[in-house]
Amino acid sequence: MTSDASLPIDIETMHASARRLLEPDAVVPSAQELETLTLLLKGHLALIIPELGRAASRRRGDDSLARVCARMAISESRRKLRIEPHPALSSHLAYARRLSRSLNVLCDHYEELCGARPEVGR
């Protein structure tokens, strides 16, 4: 696989993973479950960041708000991925929620730039 190869992006699954911690009635996971979910979120981010970057690059010369916001969201998500959370459960939960919000934003930008809005009323 070359560096220009696109990977399949399952936006619905990514949104569902992010929602697990963001729903108003979300159950606080155990430490083990939280660790697993955090790894899943990081994996989703690792997939969508380069794909969104490619989608934004394909719109060269288009300084639209969508393209600029997508690039800013990518930068912010990369910054969040470099952070190491404090080992306390509450700190790790807050970190995972920040990753979830970043993933949701990236998915929204990907849908907007690629014209893929699979469902209404997420």
Side-chain angles (χ1 to χ4, degrees), residues 19 25 36 41 47 66 87:
R19 278 194 305 264
D25 59 346
T36 300
L41 293 167
L47 285 174

Side-chain angles (χ1 to χ4, degrees), residues 3-118:
S3 62
D4 290 337
S6 290
L7 298 172
I9 299 295
D10 186 346
I11 296 295
E12 290 181 46
T13 299
M14 289 182 179
H15 272 302
S17 296
R19 278 194 305 264
R20 290 184 59 190
L21 293 175
L22 299 177
E23 295 289 331
D25 59 346
V27 176
V28 176
S30 69
Q32 180 75 32
E33 292 169 329
L34 185 57
E35 181 65 30
T36 300
L37 183 55
T38 301
L39 290 173
L40 177 65
L41 293 167
K42 286 181 173 185
H44 286 327
L45 288 165
L47 285 174
I48 198 167
I49 286 171
E51 292 301 313
L52 181 57
R54 279 192 276 282
S57 292
R58 283 192 294 267
R59 296 180 68 161
R60 256 177 244 246
D62 174 10
D63 287 330
S64 70
L65 185 58
R67 181 174 183 237
V68 172
C69 288
R71 291 215 175 269
M72 289 172 55
I74 289 169
S75 177
E76 180 66 12
S77 295
R78 285 182 174 146
R79 185 191 64 77
K80 288 179 182 177
L81 283 168
R82 287 191 298 268
I83 296 170
E84 284 298 321
H86 188 273
L89 182 62
S90 61
S91 295
H92 196 129
L93 181 60
Y95 174 70
R97 284 183 174 147
R98 284 191 297 273
L99 293 181
S100 294
R101 285 189 291 274
S102 287
L103 180 58
N104 263 338
V105 167
L106 293 176
C107 287
D108 290 344
H109 286 299
Y110 183 83
E111 289 172 328
E112 185 172 346
L113 287 176
C114 295
R117 294 262 179 207

